[in-house]
Amino acid sequence: MPTPIRPPLVRAATPADAPGIAAVHVQSWRETYAGLLPADFLDRMTGAEAQARREAFWAQNITAGQDVVLVAEAQGDAEGTVVAFASAGEARDHPGFDSELFTLYALRAAQGNGTGRALLHAVAAALRERGARNMALWVLDVNPTRDWYARQGGVEGGEKQDGDLRELRMGWSDLGTLR
């Protein structure tokens, strides 16, 4: 009889998770954006220097404690390995929204078993505990997970251009819907 797939454990990140978060950040960009973004840009965003910068950033960010940073750990054979992460905090440029989902990245191997949904709901709960009522995010228009956010109840509402990149705002007017 096959071993049932256990959903990952979602928990608050610690500074010791920074290398795992950086690795997921880089690998998920490679898996998601290969063929969708210019190769030279993707190389700059996912090379060894970028990974080192991301690791330093995440260690500092988690230590500062200002943002919500959560990780999803694999269960079973790869138990304890960070396979996804999310971060959120006060909205930066989303008029009418008080919180923002900054990141939600999962390795392709961790997708399809509720990992992303568990992280999204845990982030929403943490933001609600901090007094947030709603949440928005920016997602690249070419990102295939844009449709996933819509299936989670996110509604498109605005866009911005950053060089050659077009980003769309997705938002939840009531964090209580993400339970």
Side-chain angles (χ1 to χ4, degrees), residues 89-162:
E90 189 174 323
R92 297 175 291 197
D93 63 348
H94 296 285
F97 291 91
D98 51 28
S99 66
E100 179 176 356
L101 180 67
F102 303 133
T103 60
L104 196 163
Y105 291 103
L107 297 177
R108 183 166 288 144
Q111 296 174 8
N113 67 353
T115 302
R117 187 171 32 263
L119 277 168
L120 182 64
H121 289 229
V123 161
L127 291 170
R128 281 194 314 270
E129 288 177 13
R130 292 179 172 202
R133 300 174 317 268
N134 51 43
M135 178 177 72
L137 64 90
W138 290 112
V139 62
L140 288 175
D141 64 342
V142 297
N143 188 331
T145 61
R146 181 174 137 203
D147 293 334
W148 180 84
Y149 287 117
R151 289 193 305 275
Q152 307 313 308
V155 177
E156 283 188 26
E159 66 179 69
K160 68 178 180 178
Q161 196 77 27
D162 185 10

Side-chain angles (χ1 to χ4, degrees), residues 12-149:
T14 69
D17 293 314
I21 292 171
V24 168
H25 206 163
V26 164
Q27 185 61 33
S28 63
W29 264 69
R30 289 180 188 141
E31 293 173 347
T32 302
Y33 297 120
L36 299 175
L37 295 176
D40 62 330
F41 176 78
L42 192 56
D43 288 344
R44 282 194 313 276
M45 297 300 289
T46 62
E49 286 181 24
Q51 185 163 337
R53 281 192 311 273
R54 290 182 194 280
E55 185 174 330
F57 168 82
W58 287 113
Q60 185 279 326
N61 183 281
I62 294 163
T63 300
Q66 183 175 338
D67 297 333
V68 172
V69 183
L70 305 176
V71 295
E73 287 184 353
Q75 300 294 294
D77 294 342
E79 191 160 332
T81 302
V82 174
V83 296
F85 74 97
S87 67
E90 189 174 323
R92 297 175 291 197
D93 63 348
H94 296 285
F97 291 91
D98 51 28
S99 66
E100 179 176 356
L101 180 67
F102 303 133
T103 60
L104 196 163
Y105 291 103
L107 297 177
R108 183 166 288 144
Q111 296 174 8
N113 67 353
T115 302
R117 187 171 32 263
L119 277 168
L120 182 64
H121 289 229
V123 161
L127 291 170
R128 281 194 314 270
E129 288 177 13
R130 292 179 172 202
R133 300 174 317 268
N134 51 43
M135 178 177 72
L137 64 90
W138 290 112
V139 62
L140 288 175
D141 64 342
V142 297
N143 188 331
T145 61
R146 181 174 137 203
D147 293 334
W148 180 84
Y149 287 117

